[in-house]
Amino acid sequence: MAPFGDVKASFWGTGDHGVQPPLVAGAIEEAEDLLGVRLPQALLDLLGVQNGGPVADAWNALPTDQPNSWSPTHVPLAELFGIGRREGTLSLLDTPYLVQEWDLPSPTVPLSGDGHYWIALDYRASGHRASRLSPGSTPI
């Protein structure tokens, strides 16, 4: 597994689809209040470099031990949602809508996906106000 510093430095792909305005502290507080959770510091560190958007080819798959329609070993991670309200772009702030629309378990925070699959932070075991620990994404 690559050190987080290496991932952070090379995580983002090219293009601006899904990119939100630069992340500011007030936006983080707004998101955490809306979601009722603490977002992992590693996620916030990534979003501090670029606030959502395309993921570089080196990081565009999330390993899973559950075979699925994409692969027996992974699901795609083509983009990562940022925090913001850019029109026509999904964001972490769309979580309440996505959870309701796709009947996702709660509390979870979708990070990427399109309805056929979701990569999400799953807060069901840790409670709504989880501390900022290492990233914990899981396909649901």
Side-chain angles (χ1 to χ4, degrees):
M1 178 177 272
F4 181 67
D6 293 348
V7 174
K8 181 178 164 184
S10 62
F11 185 77
W12 297 107
T14 57
D16 67 351
H17 178 70
V19 179
Q20 299 290 337
L23 191 61
V24 295
I28 295 168
E29 292 170 7
E30 176 188 0
E32 290 182 334
D33 287 346
L34 173 74
L35 303 172
V37 299
R38 299 280 300 199
L39 296 169
Q41 188 61 50
L43 172 62
L44 297 175
D45 289 348
L46 282 174
L47 297 179
V49 173
Q50 178 176 301
N51 192 7
V55 175
D57 290 344
W59 308 110
N60 69 0
L62 181 72
T64 178
D65 58 3
Q66 299 175 357
N68 57 77
S69 62
W70 293 98
S71 163
T73 62
H74 70 275
V75 292
L77 179 61
E79 72 175 326
L80 184 70
F81 300 151
I83 297 173
R85 300 199 184 275
R86 184 174 168 206
E87 189 173 333
T89 301
L90 286 176
S91 122
L92 297 181
L93 301 179
D94 292 308
T95 292
Y97 162 75
L98 294 172
V99 166
Q100 180 179 356
E101 178 70 19
W102 294 98
D103 196 27
L104 301 175
S106 185
T108 56
V109 178
L111 300 175
S112 185
D114 64 6
H116 299 285
Y117 73 96
W118 294 102
I119 296 171
L121 297 171
D122 186 346
Y123 289 89
R124 291 175 293 175
S126 62
H128 283 49
R129 284 281 174 191
S131 63
R132 287 193 177 143
L133 300 173
S134 60
S137 302
T138 183
I140 54 173

